[in-house]
Each structure stands twice: as C-alpha cells, then as structure tokens.
Amino acid sequence: MNRYLIEETRHGTMLYDADDMFIGKALENYGEYSWTEAQLMDGLLTPESVVVEGGCHIGTFTIPMAKKCALLYAFEPQRIVFQNLCANIALNGLRNVHTWHAALGAELGATLCPFPEEVENANTGGVTLRGVTKGETVPV
C-alpha cells in the first residue's frame, strides 16, 4: 500500500504522507495548511526577495513563497521528508529553489535527526533535533 497521496491544493500540487496527522490531514481536508501564515509571508515578499527557509518540511510554505520570490534556499534535516520536499518542488516546476538535506544552526557540524518511525503521532512537521539520542546523522 502506498503511504503517499497527491493533492491539488490552494498553492499547487502537493505530495504528502497519508499518515501525517497534522499537515497531511490539513492538505487532505482543506486543500491548504496554515493559510494565515502563508498570507502573511506573501505580503512580505517581492519578486526580488531572497528567502532562507529552515525546516521546510514538505514545502507547504516553500511552494507559495517560491512562486513570489526571486530565490529560495530550502533546508530540511529529515531525509524522507526532504525527498518529499524535492518532489513537491519538481511537481510545481520551481527552478528558483535550491535544496539541502541539512539542519541549520549557529555552528558547522552534525546532529542526529530522528528516524521517521520514531516520530510521535506521525507529526513529521513537529520534530525536534534537541536531545535526540538515535537517528540519522545530518550536517549542520
């Protein structure tokens, strides 16, 4: 059985994990996620804007921001979620987005990111990197 679904949303085509109880369910039920935050960001961006977004998840904010700005640098530490983000960028034909499978931090280094099966309540958008004792090593 395929865990992923594709939905036509307010901001474009989105591939998402059908088990995600928050962002995935919002896309499925409403065709959008956090509309007011997306509107706020839209009002701040111009066609000349350059955006650095950390913890992009699957791109629910990345996609609409990229459609409004000149350049967007997208960082996502969860490997599987990062792959989903890249798929959504490709599905929406966004050539102005540069992606990195990495975390952002004050210093260069590495950190652990929880394995997907270790994420509570299938909330892959609510993952912390603090205090993680097992997982995949990702660059910072």
Side-chain angles (χ1 to χ4, degrees), residues 81-92:
V81 175
F82 171 74
Q83 293 166 349
N84 193 158
L85 167 68
C86 292
N88 286 333
I89 290 165
L91 283 169
N92 287 280

Side-chain angles (χ1 to χ4, degrees), residues 18 46 52 65 81 93 121:
T46 69
V52 176
M65 286 193 300
V81 175
N121 300 320

